[in-house]
Amino acid sequence: MPKSIADSQSRTNRERTEATRLALIDAARALFFSKGYGETSTPEIAVAAGITRGALYHHFADKRDLFRQVLVREAETVAADIEAATPRQMTPREALLEGSQAYLSAMSVPGRTRLLLIEGPAVLGLEEIMAIDEATSAGSLRQGLEKAGLGKGEVSLDALSRLLSAAFDRAALEMDAGADAQEIHSAMRWLLEQALGPEPRRKPAA
């Protein structure tokens, strides 16, 4: 078989595999959100994705593994939204403030708060959820705090990052429960501004 044909077939197979995997994740997300993890079965997910149950287990070890991948994708999407809202030309202060607002906006997507902050810890355990968080949005927050010099030489950056991350998660839960989103956004921005202190005066142009 010519190499070009073999490469094309290999690429097609990879694309087909990835499409099936994404279909399963999409179907699982919808069911986990609408019914909850405990009430969702793998046969239901397979039917919703339009594949066999055997194919599901070819891509994922079990329902828990599939659930974890759903959460990883949600967390990665949140991190991507934060990155998109904080271009490199921003000052560290601006990036921290805008990134915090982007996090809250990203968490307002229906189902995301429930999956990441309620179902996730209950199913996977806090340690595994924190690992996913650290690899995504919490990692972005820590980097933002470090670049802004917040707490430098005064408190543990790791502890500060964890506590602020918990505050943002509580803010997302408040909004999910029906609190006024604008009030929550404003309160979290105020909290960060207080921690950052007065904005440095810009030097006049020469």
Side-chain angles (χ1 to χ4, degrees):
M1 180 183 296
K3 186 175 185 298
S4 60
I5 296 177
D7 289 344
S8 178
Q9 289 181 344
S10 177
R11 184 169 59 252
T12 300
N13 288 337
R14 287 197 304 271
E15 290 171 351
R16 188 181 299 114
T17 296
E18 183 61 16
T20 300
R21 184 176 179 278
L22 290 176
L24 282 164
I25 290 175
D26 285 339
R29 186 203 189 279
L31 287 166
F32 289 145
F33 171 44
S34 63
K35 300 182 64 176
Y37 177 85
E39 297 301 315
T40 299
S41 67
T42 52
E44 284 181 289
I45 296 171
V47 169
I51 66 166
T52 66
R53 189 180 180 190
L56 185 155
Y57 286 110
H58 174 74
H59 291 277
F60 303 98
D62 51 26
K63 185 173 75 167
R64 187 179 186 278
D65 181 36
L66 176 52
F67 181 69
R68 186 182 190 282
Q69 293 308 310
V70 169
L71 298 195
V72 167
R73 190 178 69 167
E74 293 295 310
E76 289 176 343
T77 301
V78 172
D81 286 354
I82 294 172
E83 184 176 354
T86 54
R88 291 183 179 180
Q89 62 266 30
M90 278 187 173
T91 66
R93 180 190 181 94
E94 290 170 339
L96 190 57
L97 291 171
E98 292 305 314
S100 70
Q101 299 299 296
Y103 171 80
L104 294 176
S105 295
M107 290 298 287
S108 68
V109 171
R112 186 166 286 163
T113 293
R114 175 179 175 178
L115 289 170
L116 286 173
L117 303 183
I118 300 175
E119 292 273 347
V123 175
L124 300 181
L126 187 58
E127 184 176 349
E128 193 165 353
I129 287 296
M130 287 180 67
I132 294 172
D133 196 30
E134 284 294 328
T136 52
S137 56
S140 299
L141 175 61
R142 190 189 187 286
Q143 291 175 11
L145 295 173
E146 186 173 19
K147 289 179 180 178
L150 195 59
K152 187 175 182 180
E154 299 180 56
V155 297
S156 163
L157 184 60
D158 288 336
L160 183 61
S161 176
R162 288 195 299 270
L163 291 173
L164 280 175
S165 181
F168 279 110
D169 288 349
R170 177 56 187 262
L173 287 166
E174 291 277 347
M175 290 193 301
D176 193 58
D180 184 274
Q182 187 56 50
E183 286 185 0
I184 296 296
H185 275 256
S186 297
M188 291 306 299
R189 186 179 184 90
W190 180 89
L191 178 63
L192 275 182
E193 286 176 338
Q194 298 309 302
L196 286 164
E199 185 172 6
R201 292 184 179 181
R202 295 182 183 274
K203 293 182 179 180

